[in-house]
Amino acid sequence: MKEIRVLEKKFRELIPEKEISERIAKLADQINKDFAGKEVVFLGILNGAFLFAADLFKRIDLKARISFVKLASYEGTSSSGSIKELIGWNEDIRNKCIIVVEDIVDTGNTLERIVDELVIRKASGIKIVTLLLKPDAYKKDIPIDYIGFKIPNDFVIGYGLDIDGYARNLPSIYTLIS
Ligand code: IMP
Ligand code: MG
């Protein structure tokens, strides 16, 4: 069992690189089938989804574009505390079929925030693809159309996912042991 140490914490390999790429190939095949003949815009959510979005997009053979947005949190002046603002929109979303690309859906708060914004911007269709889903943490009703792997409710790193900004470069996904 492959173990590594990052920032004084121990992690064990959960999903090896090869399994990730095989699963991505299957997701891409499915998306290519489902959207055959249609034009879509992939919308990657930074920072975490940058690797997944790139590897998935390479396997897409539709008339497709890709764009990225980022959720920036800052301390608001309201009592509600931190407010998350979506930055980096430069794509005209109106009447476009959007495929949101997430690295991981945990509580679903991020996803909900993004979907709300897409509805306001009048996307004609919204689909979600996520590499990882923590079903025990997910609290929203938004259907997730394409799921790479369902994983337990434990902290994971690698393949885009970080711990305090580190470990995004690991080619496999690792789960926290201690
Ligand atoms: P949500 O809004 O609770 O669904 O969380 C989504 C975001 O939290 C993801 O896009 C990640 O950036 C981060 N996140 C959630 N779980 C993990 C994890 O296990 N490892 C690293 N980041 C995570
Ligand atoms: Mg993320």
Side-chain angles (χ1 to χ4, degrees), residues 6-131:
V6 182
L7 300 183
E8 304 299 305
K9 290 186 171 65
K10 260 205 221 158
F11 293 83
R12 152 176 71 70
E13 191 174 59
L14 181 69
I15 312 171
E17 185 175 9
K18 186 163 170 287
E19 264 181 56
I20 297 173
S21 65
E22 286 169 357
R23 187 73 190 114
I24 291 174
K26 292 224 169 79
L27 291 172
D29 287 349
Q30 193 61 54
I31 292 171
N32 286 331
K33 260 191 215 139
D34 293 352
F35 291 88
K38 298 199 179 118
E39 180 164 352
V40 294
V41 178
F42 287 78
L43 188 72
I45 311 305
L46 295 174
N47 293 322
F50 77 108
L51 281 180
F52 175 46
D55 285 344
L56 181 73
F57 195 62
K58 279 193 288 190
R59 294 181 170 275
I60 294 299
D61 61 10
L62 304 167
K63 185 175 181 193
R65 290 182 292 154
I66 188 164
S67 191
F68 290 88
V69 291
K70 181 172 180 147
L71 270 172
S73 34
Y74 59 90
E75 288 307 304
T77 49
S78 75
S79 56
S80 64
S82 84
I83 299 164
K84 285 205 164 173
E85 184 200 9
L86 272 161
I87 57 171
W89 294 95
N90 49 21
E91 198 69 36
D92 185 13
I93 300 298
R94 183 180 287 261
N95 297 330
K96 302 274 168 23
C97 183
I98 307 295
I99 300 180
V100 176
V101 184
E102 261 288 23
D103 51 349
I104 186 165
V105 176
D106 188 4
T107 61
N109 289 334
T110 307
L111 188 62
E112 185 177 61
R113 180 74 187 75
I114 287 152
V115 168
D116 283 351
E117 194 75 28
L118 289 172
V119 170
I120 291 167
R121 287 165 190 258
K122 302 209 161 32
S124 63
I126 304 167
K127 296 284 175 187
I128 318 291
V129 54
T130 187
L131 181 64

